[in-house]
Amino acid sequence: MTTPALEIPGYVAGKWKADTVHSHIGFLVRHMMVSKVRGRFTSFEVEIVTAENPLDSSATLSVDLSSIDTDNDMRDNHIRSADFFDIENQPKMTYRTTGIRHDGEGFVVDGDLTIRGVTRSVPL
């Protein structure tokens, strides 16, 4: 059984790179279940390939883990250390899509996230 091509008004097939000046990769984590810490990565590359059928599209992401910025130099240096990211040995985090699927009225992008040499499936 084949899935019919999905039609999205204004959709254009092609190869795209993120404009890092106008893009943001950020996160929010709970600290000791009391407060929230926000952060971002300032150095990254994203490539998106939009296929004729949007469900056949793909994306890759590479993040320079040394570029973490939580507005606290001491915390950032600790996160860069072997206790967390170990940027001396594993300087990049990557994400590669493995598929795109319908989920209710939206979509899920399935992919593999690799940090410190460990790869896990992560849906977005």
Side-chain angles (χ1 to χ4, degrees):
M1 180 174 147
T2 61
T3 304
L6 180 66
E7 291 188 33
I8 300 172
Y11 178 85
V12 177
K15 189 181 236 183
W16 315 92
K17 292 206 180 265
D19 174 0
T20 56
V21 172
H22 297 99
S23 301
H24 178 88
I25 296 181
F27 58 88
L28 172 76
V29 295
R30 286 219 176 263
H31 176 68
M32 300 182 72
M33 302 306 287
V34 176
S35 63
K36 296 175 184 171
V37 174
R38 295 178 193 279
R40 65 189 184 111
F41 294 98
T42 60
S43 179
F44 55 89
E45 295 177 356
V46 178
E47 181 176 274
I48 300 170
V49 177
T50 52
E52 290 297 326
N53 178 350
L55 297 177
D56 295 331
S57 298
S58 64
T60 58
L61 163 73
S62 178
V63 175
D64 176 359
L65 293 174
S66 70
S67 74
I68 191 167
D69 181 3
T70 65
D71 290 327
N72 181 305
D73 289 337
M74 190 165 62
R75 176 176 45 225
D76 294 347
N77 288 330
H78 186 210
I79 294 169
R80 290 179 188 111
S81 77
D83 288 346
F84 291 95
F85 287 151
D86 190 19
I87 65 165
E88 293 288 323
N89 297 303
Q90 303 287 334
K92 301 278 184 195
M93 168 176 60
T94 61
Y95 185 83
R96 298 187 192 291
T97 58
T98 57
I100 301 172
R101 58 188 161 89
H102 282 281
D103 184 27
E105 292 186 27
F107 298 91
V108 174
V109 176
D110 292 308
D112 291 333
L113 177 67
T114 302
I115 303 174
R116 288 186 67 155
V118 177
T119 302
R120 300 264 196 267
S121 293
V122 176
L124 303 174

